[in-house]
Amino acid sequence: MEEQIFFELNSVYRDNMRIKGYTFGSGEKSACIVGATRGNEVQQVYICSRLINILGQLEQQNKIKDGKSVTVVPCVNSHSMNIGKRFWSTDNTDINRMFPGYDLGETTQRIAAGVFKNVSNYKFGIQFTSFYMQGSFIPHVRMMKTGFEDIELAKDFGLPYVFRREARPYDTTTLNYNWQIWETKAFSVYTNATDSIDTNSAAEAVNAVLSFLNKQGIIDYNCHEGYISKFIDGQELVNVKTLTAGFFIRYAQVNARVKKGDLLAVIADPYTGEVTDRITSPTNGIVFFHADQPVIYSHTPLYRIIPTDDLI
Amino acid sequence: MVQTIASVGLPIDEMLMIQKNRLIPQSGLSGNEKRISIVTGTHGDELEGQYVCYELQRRIKENEECLTGIVDVYPSLNPLGIDSITRGMPGFDLDMNRLFPGSENGSMPEYIASQIINDLSGSAAVIDIHASNIFLEEIPQVRINELSQDTLVPLAKLLNVDYIWIHSSATVLESTLAYSLNIIGTPTLVVEMGVGMRITKKYGDQLVDGIFALMKELGIWSGEVPTPKTPIISEDGEVSFINARKSGVFVPSVEHWKNVKKGDHIGDILNPLTGEIHQKITSETDGIVFTLREYPIVSEGSLIARILA
């Protein structure tokens, strides 16, 4: 294992921020794995720490294939993580909206440039990231429709779903998008935690990455290969939202199979307890995402459901 | 007449309302009047537009007989942000000016964004007033995407600003309010002036003069208006950026909107712990300082100044 400092930012009163990369094996730049770009992505750093630990063991057992290398960058925003802030500690900009970066630009542009210089030109790029809304997902590989996405390859992670959505203008400055533009096959892996550690979900993500690396001939790792992934397009999902604000009392959890008309949740008046909205499923299906705030705004998407033909 | 253009329930006994005030001619509406919309407060820490909204209406009410069209004033597109001194949308930590055109069926911020677009659509002109941020001071200027310059530059020249900056197109900016409106044929001018969390009255007065000149041109105002000043117009290549090479405390040695020569001292980045100068900053070009660092603490990369050659 080689530990390198990919980028270092000086600070007048704080310790320098060091962005570290851990490389295993040597030769071809086979795969790069990036963890937290935001300061609250604790689960993402945790997953990377597990991968670094296991890849170190594999390297000692000569199970990194000859001529292949894997690099893990666990955290690119430790300054924000250390003060409990999601975005950049001073100007609140999002490093994951600054790629490919600019080394003569503003602070977060320089950070992004420093990171991108070191994580580009890999064959595969894997990022652990988080959604802007609070909530839980079925673990999945997420891709943007750029014309460069490779859905069949994404199924090699063995996670239950491969999800593709349309790219929006502001996505063009994410790490994932720029990896793809610069010919790295890029994948975002979502687990069902962000600012807390879910060890089961993290273990599933670690296994998915190791399984993927094994299938690409980068490591020699005998493991459970997971699921036969189902591909879903973002437009297929059925959104369930409420027009009422209040307490969000959730009954249906992620991965639940639901039938049309099943009660998913209720919205209750925060003072009287009166049920103001009953949230029912508009379709047979599987709960792919649900919000998890205790109180919600009106017009909030509460569930996203994968429609199925189940007659059970 | 105050109207609510979007409302959303908040969890505990509160409605979030996006409101506008509509001023119409004393004689009523015939249906043929043009409409100008003044919007501000997308970023909750940018307050320069607040005074403009007030002062514009004060002057209109002084001479209401001169109003021949519709003036819609939207002082706060992000009320929760303004109330909580938060740049983005509290609760989501989202930059509202990266959400447009929004979505009727999207999340709460996307829903609000879609309602704002619906309401502004069809205006003869929209003035979207920003105030830089807390870090930088800007002279009154209009920023125009090069894709819209043919339509917008003639309108911007009327706004009595010092400077018009025609910048290159960037995909990420397609999520802004101005881009989303311009693309559907509603001419929208982005004004940047002053500094975040502050009101600079002279800049506000200057812009209000310009809004009246634009209203006169559009047939919305029949009264006398000041002659707008002639702005400097430039494109990206004529702007040079100075960024900090070191972290520390920036102390300027030039004034905002003053000429500098190549080699002139712009300021120093100091280390108060050691009493040393971390970086002595000089201008790399002859020009005028139209953006100057206001907030003293800087990190490596922080923007110190922009100079128009």
Side-chain angles (χ1 to χ4, degrees):
Chain A
M1 179 182 83
E2 183 185 6
E3 179 186 293
Q4 293 173 281
I5 295 176
F6 284 167
F7 184 81
E8 187 160 8
L9 184 78
N10 66 59
S11 173
V12 64
Y13 292 130
R14 291 180 69 173
D15 190 5
N16 288 0
M17 185 176 85
R18 292 169 289 276
I19 298 175
K20 292 182 178 177
Y22 297 82
T23 300
F24 305 88
S26 60
E28 176 198 76
K29 297 173 85 172
S30 307
C32 184
I33 299 156
V34 174
T37 54
R38 284 94 178 224
N40 67 331
E41 292 176 343
V42 179
Q43 168 88 341
Q44 287 74 6
V45 180
Y46 176 73
I47 293 168
C48 286
S49 74
R50 296 299 309 139
L51 279 168
I52 289 167
N53 190 287
I54 294 168
L55 287 166
Q57 295 177 52
L58 291 174
E59 189 175 53
Q60 286 182 349
Q61 296 167 21
N62 294 317
K63 288 187 172 178
I64 310 287
K65 294 281 185 72
D66 285 347
K68 308 284 184 183
S69 73
V70 180
T71 296
V72 184
V73 182
C75 183
V76 306
N77 193 356
S78 56
H79 261 196
S80 297
M81 190 163 282
N82 287 335
I83 60 169
K85 198 170 170 189
R86 179 167 165 81
F87 296 130
W88 181 240
S89 54
T90 53
D91 64 8
N92 212 40
T93 51
D94 183 356
I95 295 172
N96 202 27
R97 291 284 182 273
M98 292 293 165
F99 287 97
Y102 176 43
D103 60 4
L104 298 176
E106 295 229 32
T107 308
T108 44
Q109 291 176 306
R110 291 180 186 218
I111 295 170
V115 171
F116 198 66
K117 185 174 75 176
N118 286 282
V119 304
S120 56
N121 298 320
Y122 280 80
K123 194 169 179 186
F124 304 109
I126 301 164
Q127 186 182 10
F128 295 107
T129 186
S130 62
F131 198 47
Y132 78 95
M133 286 177 58
Q134 283 185 50
S136 295
F137 284 103
I138 295 180
H140 65 282
V141 181
R142 179 173 287 236
M143 318 177 78
M144 277 180 276
K145 192 173 181 178
T146 60
F148 299 104
E149 75 276 16
D150 190 333
I151 290 159
E152 290 308 310
L153 195 59
K155 292 180 179 177
D156 280 354
F157 284 90
L159 288 171
Y161 294 95
V162 171
F163 177 83
R164 183 180 67 183
R165 67 178 179 84
E166 295 289 331
R168 299 183 184 187
Y170 52 75
D171 291 321
T172 56
T173 49
T174 60
L175 172 60
N176 187 304
Y177 188 93
N178 282 278
W179 257 340
Q180 292 191 48
I181 297 302
W182 295 89
E183 299 184 344
T184 292
K185 290 192 176 297
F187 311 93
S188 294
V189 175
Y190 281 71
T191 67
N192 56 13
T194 297
D195 47 14
S196 60
I197 294 172
D198 179 330
T199 54
N200 291 333
S201 177
E204 189 175 13
V206 168
N207 191 72
V209 171
L210 295 173
S211 177
F212 178 84
L213 297 177
N214 185 51
K215 286 175 184 170
Q216 309 318 314
I218 298 168
I219 62 172
D220 183 8
Y221 184 68
N222 188 15
C223 65
H224 189 280
E225 294 189 352
Y227 298 82
I228 299 171
S229 305
K230 177 175 169 53
F231 169 66
I232 44 175
D233 201 278
Q235 293 167 343
E236 293 174 27
L237 293 180
V238 176
N239 292 320
V240 184
K241 64 191 288 188
T242 178
L243 299 180
T244 309
F247 285 134
F248 174 41
I249 311 297
R250 192 175 66 249
Y251 300 129
Q253 311 298 332
V254 151
N255 216 16
R257 300 180 82 90
V258 294
K259 287 191 291 185
K260 183 176 180 178
D262 278 358
L263 185 65
L264 303 175
V266 297
I267 309 299
D269 184 287
Y271 287 164
T272 67
E274 181 187 355
V275 172
T276 52
D277 195 7
R278 291 169 55 82
I279 312 300
T280 57
S281 178
T283 180
N284 293 345
I286 298 165
V287 174
F288 181 68
F289 165 83
H290 64 63
D292 63 6
Q293 305 94 314
V295 292
I296 49 98
Y297 300 104
S298 63
H299 295 276
T300 298
L302 300 176
Y303 285 91
R304 301 192 82 187
I305 296 175
I306 305 164
T308 64
D309 294 329
D310 296 350
L311 299 176
I312 56 173
Chain B
M1 178 175 55
V2 175
Q3 301 172 0
T4 299
I5 64 151
S7 64
V8 169
L10 301 183
I12 313 294
D13 194 25
E14 182 182 352
M15 292 297 289
L16 167 62
M17 291 176 288
I18 313 296
Q19 294 183 306
K20 70 175 180 183
N21 194 21
R22 169 162 287 191
L23 290 81
I24 61 172
Q26 285 178 324
S27 55
L29 294 172
S30 68
N32 297 321
E33 290 81 6
K34 286 188 176 174
R35 169 167 58 115
I36 189 170
S37 297
I38 314 300
V39 303
T40 192
T42 314
H43 294 129
D45 62 351
E46 297 183 5
L47 305 176
E48 298 279 8
Q50 299 301 307
Y51 173 72
V52 174
C53 290
Y54 161 77
E55 178 64 9
L56 175 68
Q57 296 186 77
R58 186 191 69 77
R59 293 195 207 173
I60 290 173
K61 288 172 184 171
E62 271 190 352
N63 294 284
E64 268 186 303
E65 69 284 358
C66 298
L67 186 62
T68 53
I70 301 168
V71 179
D72 279 345
V73 178
Y74 305 69
S76 178
L77 297 190
N78 180 8
L80 298 179
I82 289 182
D83 184 74
S84 59
I85 323 175
T86 307
R87 184 170 179 79
M89 285 195 84
F92 294 88
D93 219 353
L94 281 176
D95 183 338
M96 195 171 178
N97 212 20
R98 295 290 181 274
L99 290 173
F100 292 99
S103 165
E104 181 93 22
N105 295 313
S107 61
M108 183 270 260
E110 292 172 305
Y111 168 76
I112 288 175
S114 72
Q115 299 304 299
I116 290 168
I117 291 284
N118 288 345
D119 206 70
L120 290 168
S121 172
S123 300
V126 175
I127 314 298
D128 180 16
I129 305 170
H130 291 258
S132 182
N133 52 35
I134 64 167
F135 303 107
L136 302 166
E137 183 171 12
E138 302 280 4
I139 52 119
Q141 60 195 271
V142 176
R143 293 186 186 168
I144 292 173
N145 186 319
E146 61 185 358
L147 301 175
S148 307
Q149 61 178 304
D150 291 345
T151 307
L152 298 184
V153 170
L155 301 177
K157 284 180 177 174
L158 296 165
L159 272 183
N160 198 37
V161 294
D162 296 281
Y163 176 41
I164 296 173
W165 183 1
I166 301 166
H167 62 78
S168 57
S169 178
T171 309
V172 69
L173 297 179
E174 291 174 14
S175 305
T176 61
L177 174 66
Y179 184 94
S180 301
L181 286 169
N182 281 312
I183 206 74
I184 60 172
T186 298
T188 302
L189 296 160
V190 176
V191 173
E192 288 276 1
M193 63 181 195
V195 65
M197 293 190 184
R198 192 192 298 171
I199 285 174
T200 314
K201 186 172 178 295
K202 69 174 181 179
Y203 289 166
D205 288 330
Q206 178 181 337
L207 180 62
V208 171
D209 287 346
I211 293 172
F212 273 100
L214 178 59
M215 287 165 52
K216 178 114 177 177
E217 176 70 19
L218 295 172
I220 295 171
W221 185 255
S222 62
E224 290 299 311
V225 297
T227 302
K229 61 167 68 177
T230 303
I232 298 169
I233 301 175
S234 84
E235 299 183 359
D236 282 340
E238 298 158 79
V239 176
S240 71
F241 292 67
I242 299 175
N243 295 78
R245 289 202 307 270
K246 298 285 185 183
S247 300
V249 178
F250 173 67
V251 178
S253 53
V254 292
E255 288 182 47
H256 191 214
W257 201 225
K258 295 286 183 189
N259 285 306
V260 292
K261 292 202 165 115
K262 184 175 180 178
D264 277 358
H265 188 205
I266 301 291
D268 294 311
I269 296 176
L270 312 175
N271 184 339
L273 180 65
T274 63
E276 294 171 315
I277 295 175
H278 267 179
Q279 184 187 351
K280 186 178 176 72
I281 300 169
T282 55
S283 178
E284 294 179 357
T285 182
D286 293 350
I288 188 163
V289 179
F290 74 93
T291 302
L292 185 62
R293 184 83 184 177
E294 171 72 18
Y295 190 76
I297 304 297
V298 296
S299 302
E300 183 182 333
S302 295
L303 186 61
I304 299 295
R306 293 189 189 102
I307 297 176
L308 176 62

